[in-house]
Amino acid sequence: MKYAKITAYIAAAAVAVSSVALNASAVELNKIDGAAGFTYEAGGKAWAHIWNPYNEASLFDVPSDFAEGTTDLIVKFTVSGMTEGESYTVFPGFQCHGDEVMNDGEELSIWNQDDYKSAGSTYDYVVNGNGDYELIVPMKGVADALDMYWGESIYDVGILELCFEGMANEEMTGPVNESLVIEFTGVEECSDIHSVADCAFAGLAADEPETDASDADDTETDTSAADDTDTDTSAADEPETDAPAQTDKPSTDTGAEGIAVAAAVAVLAAGAAIVVKKHR
């Protein structure tokens, strides 16, 4: 059986500007040769193991020495091979400590949407097309919302993973879309504090209907021009008949063409690719 070429891309160097948070700097990561990157679970869940010392699918060694003042992390990844109408929700799972760890600081461990609800809201992030993504892991904001004795900045992050919901096939052997490729291009430290709600992202194709709205305006202009003669007035009703078709057009065109425009700012990187194969 043919399985998807889901790729975990290990970037040796990346040039990109974070659009979701300020004051970001790259985390130094050591890739693990031969790592699978993804594992699959019931309910369509696919876990990307960014780093996890307890799982041999982990892509990187656990990093150390986070910069002073780092409160959140940003995971950067690129998606390609998605088809029209395809969509996945994503949330980060992690285990970490704040800088009060030396003074009996509490461990923060988040692994599902119920954990996020306890911190104020579900983690609402949608991948719905090809392009570059930046996903915030709101560690300090979650710790504060849970009234934890956690500290002011990150002391360590023992585990960092992303859960792609709806991506796994029913057999839990791979993704439902065999052409899907996900490339992880880096992780950044961030000194801004984010709530769970701050991390919401609706997807790359969200702005496309505005383009089609301008086309609808052209139709209205033609209708007014048809008022010059009584004979043409009845014929002018035809553009109104076409209007619903143009209104429906954005929902059928939210595919790769519009997404390519939204993803014009590319991540430049050099590194080794790891192909994720069947993993039980």
Side-chain angles (χ1 to χ4, degrees), residues 36-69:
F38 279 81
T39 56
Y40 305 93
E41 295 181 357
K45 291 184 178 181
W47 284 92
H49 304 276
I50 310 302
W51 62 75
N52 182 342
Y54 310 106
N55 194 310
E56 61 185 17
S58 179
L59 295 171
F60 302 99
D61 289 324
V62 178
S64 59
D65 300 326
F66 289 98
E68 184 177 356

mmCIF file of all heavy atoms in Angstrom, residues 36-69:
data_model
loop_
_atom_site.group_PDB
_atom_site.id
_atom_site.type_symbol
_atom_site.label_atom_id
_atom_site.label_comp_id
_atom_site.label_asym_id
_atom_site.label_seq_id
_atom_site.Cartn_x
_atom_site.Cartn_y
_atom_site.Cartn_z
ATOM 1 N N ALA A 36 10.945 9.332 12.778
ATOM 2 C CA ALA A 36 9.733 9.221 11.962
ATOM 3 C C ALA A 36 8.952 10.521 11.920
ATOM 4 O O ALA A 36 8.369 10.885 10.917
ATOM 5 C CB ALA A 36 8.852 8.101 12.503
ATOM 6 N N GLY A 37 8.909 11.236 13.044
ATOM 7 C CA GLY A 37 8.233 12.524 13.071
ATOM 8 C C GLY A 37 6.779 12.453 13.480
ATOM 9 O O GLY A 37 6.346 13.201 14.340
ATOM 10 N N PHE A 38 5.993 11.564 12.863
ATOM 11 C CA PHE A 38 4.569 11.458 13.146
ATOM 12 C C PHE A 38 4.198 10.068 13.674
ATOM 13 O O PHE A 38 4.778 9.070 13.268
ATOM 14 C CB PHE A 38 3.739 11.706 11.876
ATOM 15 C CG PHE A 38 3.543 13.147 11.534
ATOM 16 C CD1 PHE A 38 4.533 13.857 10.871
ATOM 17 C CD2 PHE A 38 2.371 13.805 11.857
ATOM 18 C CE1 PHE A 38 4.355 15.187 10.539
ATOM 19 C CE2 PHE A 38 2.187 15.128 11.528
ATOM 20 C CZ PHE A 38 3.180 15.833 10.865
ATOM 21 N N THR A 39 3.205 10.043 14.569
ATOM 22 C CA THR A 39 2.513 8.817 14.916
ATOM 23 C C THR A 39 1.018 9.101 14.815
ATOM 24 O O THR A 39 0.594 10.262 14.839
ATOM 25 C CB THR A 39 2.862 8.324 16.339
ATOM 26 O OG1 THR A 39 2.573 9.359 17.279
ATOM 27 C CG2 THR A 39 4.327 7.953 16.430
ATOM 28 N N TYR A 40 0.217 8.029 14.707
ATOM 29 C CA TYR A 40 -1.212 8.181 14.417
ATOM 30 C C TYR A 40 -2.055 7.481 15.465
ATOM 31 O O TYR A 40 -1.683 6.433 15.986
ATOM 32 C CB TYR A 40 -1.515 7.639 13.017
ATOM 33 C CG TYR A 40 -0.643 8.281 11.955
ATOM 34 C CD1 TYR A 40 0.560 7.688 11.568
ATOM 35 C CD2 TYR A 40 -1.007 9.494 11.393
ATOM 36 C CE1 TYR A 40 1.370 8.296 10.622
ATOM 37 C CE2 TYR A 40 -0.190 10.110 10.443
ATOM 38 C CZ TYR A 40 0.989 9.506 10.063
ATOM 39 O OH TYR A 40 1.803 10.111 9.142
ATOM 40 N N GLU A 41 -3.228 8.089 15.763
ATOM 41 C CA GLU A 41 -4.108 7.561 16.797
ATOM 42 C C GLU A 41 -5.539 7.478 16.286
ATOM 43 O O GLU A 41 -5.872 8.031 15.225
ATOM 44 C CB GLU A 41 -4.065 8.465 18.042
ATOM 45 C CG GLU A 41 -2.728 8.504 18.745
ATOM 46 C CD GLU A 41 -2.772 9.387 19.982
ATOM 47 O OE1 GLU A 41 -3.837 10.000 20.232
ATOM 48 O OE2 GLU A 41 -1.751 9.462 20.681
ATOM 49 N N ALA A 42 -6.388 6.835 17.083
ATOM 50 C CA ALA A 42 -7.809 6.746 16.762
ATOM 51 C C ALA A 42 -8.426 8.138 16.751
ATOM 52 O O ALA A 42 -7.912 9.077 17.363
ATOM 53 C CB ALA A 42 -8.518 5.856 17.783
ATOM 54 N N GLY A 43 -9.537 8.265 16.046
ATOM 55 C CA GLY A 43 -10.209 9.553 15.978
ATOM 56 C C GLY A 43 -9.573 10.510 15.004
ATOM 57 O O GLY A 43 -9.851 11.713 15.048
ATOM 58 N N GLY A 44 -8.697 10.017 14.139
ATOM 59 C CA GLY A 44 -8.094 10.871 13.121
ATOM 60 C C GLY A 44 -6.940 11.722 13.594
ATOM 61 O O GLY A 44 -6.486 12.610 12.871
ATOM 62 N N LYS A 45 -6.413 11.459 14.788
ATOM 63 C CA LYS A 45 -5.330 12.303 15.320
ATOM 64 C C LYS A 45 -3.959 11.855 14.806
ATOM 65 O O LYS A 45 -3.655 10.666 14.776
ATOM 66 C CB LYS A 45 -5.328 12.266 16.849
ATOM 67 C CG LYS A 45 -6.523 12.957 17.478
ATOM 68 C CD LYS A 45 -6.423 12.972 18.993
ATOM 69 C CE LYS A 45 -7.599 13.704 19.616
ATOM 70 N NZ LYS A 45 -7.516 13.746 21.102
ATOM 71 N N ALA A 46 -3.165 12.835 14.401
ATOM 72 C CA ALA A 46 -1.775 12.596 14.008
ATOM 73 C C ALA A 46 -0.892 13.519 14.845
ATOM 74 O O ALA A 46 -1.074 14.737 14.831
ATOM 75 C CB ALA A 46 -1.584 12.884 12.521
ATOM 76 N N TRP A 47 0.039 12.948 15.580
ATOM 77 C CA TRP A 47 0.918 13.731 16.455
ATOM 78 C C TRP A 47 2.272 13.935 15.796
ATOM 79 O O TRP A 47 2.944 12.970 15.414
ATOM 80 C CB TRP A 47 1.103 13.024 17.791
ATOM 81 C CG TRP A 47 -0.080 13.134 18.700
ATOM 82 C CD1 TRP A 47 -1.126 12.264 18.800
ATOM 83 C CD2 TRP A 47 -0.331 14.176 19.650
ATOM 84 N NE1 TRP A 47 -2.017 12.700 19.754
ATOM 85 C CE2 TRP A 47 -1.561 13.873 20.296
ATOM 86 C CE3 TRP A 47 0.355 15.341 20.023
ATOM 87 C CZ2 TRP A 47 -2.114 14.693 21.282
ATOM 88 C CZ3 TRP A 47 -0.188 16.154 21.001
ATOM 89 C CH2 TRP A 47 -1.407 15.833 21.626
ATOM 90 N N ALA A 48 2.666 15.184 15.675
ATOM 91 C CA ALA A 48 4.004 15.530 15.201
ATOM 92 C C ALA A 48 4.881 15.729 16.423
ATOM 93 O O ALA A 48 4.654 16.644 17.222
ATOM 94 C CB ALA A 48 3.966 16.814 14.370
ATOM 95 N N HIS A 49 5.888 14.882 16.587
ATOM 96 C CA HIS A 49 6.738 14.908 17.782
ATOM 97 C C HIS A 49 7.932 15.822 17.515
ATOM 98 O O HIS A 49 8.979 15.374 17.045
ATOM 99 C CB HIS A 49 7.186 13.487 18.126
ATOM 100 C CG HIS A 49 6.046 12.535 18.311
ATOM 101 N ND1 HIS A 49 5.352 12.411 19.496
ATOM 102 C CD2 HIS A 49 5.441 11.682 17.434
ATOM 103 C CE1 HIS A 49 4.387 11.513 19.360
ATOM 104 N NE2 HIS A 49 4.422 11.058 18.116
ATOM 105 N N ILE A 50 7.766 17.091 17.839
ATOM 106 C CA ILE A 50 8.848 18.056 17.605
ATOM 107 C C ILE A 50 10.057 17.647 18.450
ATOM 108 O O ILE A 50 11.156 17.468 17.936
ATOM 109 C CB ILE A 50 8.406 19.491 17.940
ATOM 110 C CG1 ILE A 50 7.077 19.825 17.260
ATOM 111 C CG2 ILE A 50 9.496 20.486 17.516
ATOM 112 C CD1 ILE A 50 7.086 19.686 15.761
ATOM 113 N N TRP A 51 9.845 17.514 19.746
ATOM 114 C CA TRP A 51 10.835 16.840 20.596
ATOM 115 C C TRP A 51 10.134 16.161 21.766
ATOM 116 O O TRP A 51 9.177 16.670 22.329
ATOM 117 C CB TRP A 51 11.943 17.770 21.086
ATOM 118 C CG TRP A 51 11.551 18.927 21.957
ATOM 119 C CD1 TRP A 51 11.183 18.900 23.271
ATOM 120 C CD2 TRP A 51 11.543 20.319 21.583
ATOM 121 N NE1 TRP A 51 10.939 20.162 23.735
ATOM 122 C CE2 TRP A 51 11.154 21.066 22.734
ATOM 123 C CE3 TRP A 51 11.845 21.012 20.414
ATOM 124 C CZ2 TRP A 51 11.040 22.456 22.721
ATOM 125 C CZ3 TRP A 51 11.719 22.391 20.402
ATOM 126 C CH2 TRP A 51 11.328 23.099 21.534
ATOM 127 N N ASN A 52 10.582 14.967 22.066
ATOM 128 C CA ASN A 52 10.026 14.159 23.137
ATOM 129 C C ASN A 52 11.022 13.043 23.440
ATOM 130 O O ASN A 52 11.166 12.106 22.660
ATOM 131 C CB ASN A 52 8.670 13.564 22.718
ATOM 132 C CG ASN A 52 8.014 12.759 23.825
ATOM 133 O OD1 ASN A 52 8.661 12.353 24.792
ATOM 134 N ND2 ASN A 52 6.716 12.517 23.684
ATOM 135 N N PRO A 53 11.727 13.115 24.562
ATOM 136 C CA PRO A 53 12.760 12.114 24.867
ATOM 137 C C PRO A 53 12.189 10.724 25.132
ATOM 138 O O PRO A 53 12.936 9.750 25.164
ATOM 139 C CB PRO A 53 13.430 12.677 26.122
ATOM 140 C CG PRO A 53 12.382 13.518 26.767
ATOM 141 C CD PRO A 53 11.602 14.114 25.626
ATOM 142 N N TYR A 54 10.866 10.624 25.292
ATOM 143 C CA TYR A 54 10.234 9.343 25.594
ATOM 144 C C TYR A 54 9.612 8.692 24.354
ATOM 145 O O TYR A 54 8.987 7.639 24.462
ATOM 146 C CB TYR A 54 9.149 9.536 26.661
ATOM 147 C CG TYR A 54 9.644 10.297 27.855
ATOM 148 C CD1 TYR A 54 9.268 11.624 28.053
ATOM 149 C CD2 TYR A 54 10.521 9.715 28.776
ATOM 150 C CE1 TYR A 54 9.739 12.350 29.144
ATOM 151 C CE2 TYR A 54 10.987 10.428 29.864
ATOM 152 C CZ TYR A 54 10.593 11.746 30.042
ATOM 153 O OH TYR A 54 11.071 12.458 31.115
ATOM 154 N N ASN A 55 9.768 9.322 23.188
ATOM 155 C CA ASN A 55 9.173 8.794 21.962
ATOM 156 C C ASN A 55 10.225 8.784 20.864
ATOM 157 O O ASN A 55 10.790 9.821 20.521
ATOM 158 C CB ASN A 55 7.980 9.661 21.549
ATOM 159 C CG ASN A 55 7.128 8.988 20.489
ATOM 160 O OD1 ASN A 55 7.636 8.520 19.469
ATOM 161 N ND2 ASN A 55 5.828 8.937 20.726
ATOM 162 N N GLU A 56 10.477 7.616 20.292
ATOM 163 C CA GLU A 56 11.534 7.485 19.300
ATOM 164 C C GLU A 56 11.191 8.146 17.970
ATOM 165 O O GLU A 56 12.031 8.223 17.080
ATOM 166 C CB GLU A 56 11.855 6.018 19.071
ATOM 167 C CG GLU A 56 10.699 5.188 18.557
ATOM 168 C CD GLU A 56 11.033 3.709 18.456
ATOM 169 O OE1 GLU A 56 12.028 3.289 19.076
ATOM 170 O OE2 GLU A 56 10.305 2.986 17.766
ATOM 171 N N ALA A 57 9.954 8.635 17.836
ATOM 172 C CA ALA A 57 9.579 9.370 16.630
ATOM 173 C C ALA A 57 10.023 10.822 16.689
ATOM 174 O O ALA A 57 9.885 11.567 15.722
ATOM 175 C CB ALA A 57 8.064 9.301 16.422
ATOM 176 N N SER A 58 10.557 11.260 17.830
ATOM 177 C CA SER A 58 10.941 12.662 18.042
ATOM 178 C C SER A 58 11.916 13.155 16.990
ATOM 179 O O SER A 58 12.897 12.485 16.663
ATOM 180 C CB SER A 58 11.553 12.812 19.433
ATOM 181 O OG SER A 58 11.958 14.137 19.665
ATOM 182 N N LEU A 59 11.667 14.371 16.477
ATOM 183 C CA LEU A 59 12.513 14.956 15.430
ATOM 184 C C LEU A 59 13.799 15.566 15.962
ATOM 185 O O LEU A 59 14.823 15.551 15.288
ATOM 186 C CB LEU A 59 11.725 16.041 14.684
ATOM 187 C CG LEU A 59 10.505 15.567 13.899
ATOM 188 C CD1 LEU A 59 9.714 16.760 13.395
ATOM 189 C CD2 LEU A 59 10.938 14.680 12.758
ATOM 190 N N PHE A 60 13.740 16.165 17.151
ATOM 191 C CA PHE A 60 14.886 16.890 17.695
ATOM 192 C C PHE A 60 15.205 16.423 19.109
ATOM 193 O O PHE A 60 14.335 15.929 19.825
ATOM 194 C CB PHE A 60 14.599 18.403 17.748
ATOM 195 C CG PHE A 60 14.267 19.026 16.437
ATOM 196 C CD1 PHE A 60 12.951 19.270 16.083
ATOM 197 C CD2 PHE A 60 15.264 19.397 15.541
ATOM 198 C CE1 PHE A 60 12.628 19.856 14.878
ATOM 199 C CE2 PHE A 60 14.949 19.989 14.331
ATOM 200 C CZ PHE A 60 13.625 20.212 13.999
ATOM 201 N N ASP A 61 16.451 16.630 19.509
ATOM 202 C CA ASP A 61 16.805 16.501 20.915
ATOM 203 C C ASP A 61 16.124 17.629 21.694
ATOM 204 O O ASP A 61 15.855 18.699 21.146
ATOM 205 C CB ASP A 61 18.325 16.619 21.102
ATOM 206 C CG ASP A 61 19.070 15.406 20.563
ATOM 207 O OD1 ASP A 61 18.546 14.281 20.690
ATOM 208 O OD2 ASP A 61 20.164 15.589 19.994
ATOM 209 N N VAL A 62 15.879 17.402 22.967
ATOM 210 C CA VAL A 62 15.275 18.429 23.815
ATOM 211 C C VAL A 62 16.246 19.608 23.934
ATOM 212 O O VAL A 62 17.400 19.422 24.336
ATOM 213 C CB VAL A 62 14.944 17.880 25.212
ATOM 214 C CG1 VAL A 62 14.369 18.977 26.098
ATOM 215 C CG2 VAL A 62 13.974 16.708 25.105
ATOM 216 N N PRO A 63 15.824 20.819 23.566
ATOM 217 C CA PRO A 63 16.727 21.975 23.655
ATOM 218 C C PRO A 63 16.905 22.432 25.096
ATOM 219 O O PRO A 63 16.096 22.112 25.969
ATOM 220 C CB PRO A 63 16.005 23.038 22.820
ATOM 221 C CG PRO A 63 14.559 22.691 22.958
ATOM 222 C CD PRO A 63 14.503 21.176 23.035
ATOM 223 N N SER A 64 17.958 23.185 25.333
ATOM 224 C CA SER A 64 18.217 23.728 26.668
ATOM 225 C C SER A 64 18.601 25.193 26.550
ATOM 226 O O SER A 64 18.754 25.735 25.451
ATOM 227 C CB SER A 64 19.352 22.942 27.349
ATOM 228 O OG SER A 64 20.537 23.005 26.570
ATOM 229 N N ASP A 65 18.735 25.841 27.698
ATOM 230 C CA ASP A 65 19.218 27.230 27.745
ATOM 231 C C ASP A 65 18.346 28.185 26.934
ATOM 232 O O ASP A 65 18.798 28.849 25.998
ATOM 233 C CB ASP A 65 20.666 27.322 27.239
ATOM 234 C CG ASP A 65 21.621 26.491 28.070
ATOM 235 O OD1 ASP A 65 21.392 26.391 29.287
ATOM 236 O OD2 ASP A 65 22.570 25.933 27.507
ATOM 237 N N PHE A 66 17.056 28.245 27.285
ATOM 238 C CA PHE A 66 16.186 29.233 26.657
ATOM 239 C C PHE A 66 16.611 30.635 27.098
ATOM 240 O O PHE A 66 17.044 30.834 28.230
ATOM 241 C CB PHE A 66 14.726 28.985 27.040
ATOM 242 C CG PHE A 66 14.146 27.751 26.404
ATOM 243 C CD1 PHE A 66 14.085 26.556 27.105
ATOM 244 C CD2 PHE A 66 13.686 27.771 25.101
ATOM 245 C CE1 PHE A 66 13.569 25.411 26.532
ATOM 246 C CE2 PHE A 66 13.169 26.626 24.507
ATOM 247 C CZ PHE A 66 13.107 25.451 25.219
ATOM 248 N N ALA A 67 16.459 31.581 26.192
ATOM 249 C CA ALA A 67 16.871 32.951 26.485
ATOM 250 C C ALA A 67 16.064 33.515 27.647
ATOM 251 O O ALA A 67 14.872 33.225 27.795
ATOM 252 C CB ALA A 67 16.692 33.825 25.246
ATOM 253 N N GLU A 68 16.709 34.315 28.457
ATOM 254 C CA GLU A 68 16.022 34.936 29.590
ATOM 255 C C GLU A 68 14.860 35.788 29.090
ATOM 256 O O GLU A 68 14.992 36.529 28.128
ATOM 257 C CB GLU A 68 17.004 35.803 30.382
ATOM 258 C CG GLU A 68 16.402 36.410 31.632
ATOM 259 C CD GLU A 68 17.409 37.205 32.442
ATOM 260 O OE1 GLU A 68 18.595 37.212 32.065
ATOM 261 O OE2 GLU A 68 17.008 37.822 33.448
ATOM 262 N N GLY A 69 13.726 35.657 29.725
ATOM 263 C CA GLY A 69 12.547 36.418 29.322
ATOM 264 C C GLY A 69 11.664 35.707 28.323
ATOM 265 O O GLY A 69 10.601 36.219 27.958
#
